Amino acid sequence: MAEPRTATFDLAALLPGPFLCAECATRVCTGASRLSGVLEADCDEAALRLIYDPALVADGELAAAVTTLVAEATVGVEHATYRVTGLD
């Protein structure tokens, strides 16, 4: 095993506007933890941090896999918008 590396992905840049939420971030993080070569995944609504083995996955391959994962995680997901009134 090669020395593990860390890659950080900006979820605000990856997730389209309405999909930048805790639930979508969790779906992406869970999926990323299953990617080949990923040793550990951690995320919040702002960033996805992956610790990976560069002997098993190249930087470019990892970035492409994350981009694909984000697209798959947001397909078919509906987000509701609510208008809240009467709080004045």
Side-chain angles (χ1 to χ4, degrees):
M1 181 168 106
E3 184 69 29
R5 291 186 189 163
T6 301
T8 302
F9 299 90
D10 179 4
L11 288 177
L14 290 173
L15 290 168
F19 297 103
L20 184 58
C21 69
E23 191 61 33
C24 286
T26 299
R27 273 195 301 282
V28 170
C29 190
T30 300
S33 69
R34 297 179 184 137
L35 293 173
S36 177
V38 172
L39 306 172
E40 185 178 326
D42 179 48
C43 65
D44 54 34
E45 288 182 44
L48 168 64
R49 289 169 292 284
L50 302 177
I51 298 174
Y52 66 100
D53 183 345
L56 298 176
V57 61
D59 295 344
E61 291 172 347
L62 183 63
V66 168
T67 301
T68 300
L69 181 64
V70 167
E72 291 171 354
T74 57
V75 169
V77 175
E78 296 287 331
H79 282 83
T81 303
Y82 300 97
R83 182 181 174 116
V84 179
T85 60
L87 297 175
D88 305 1

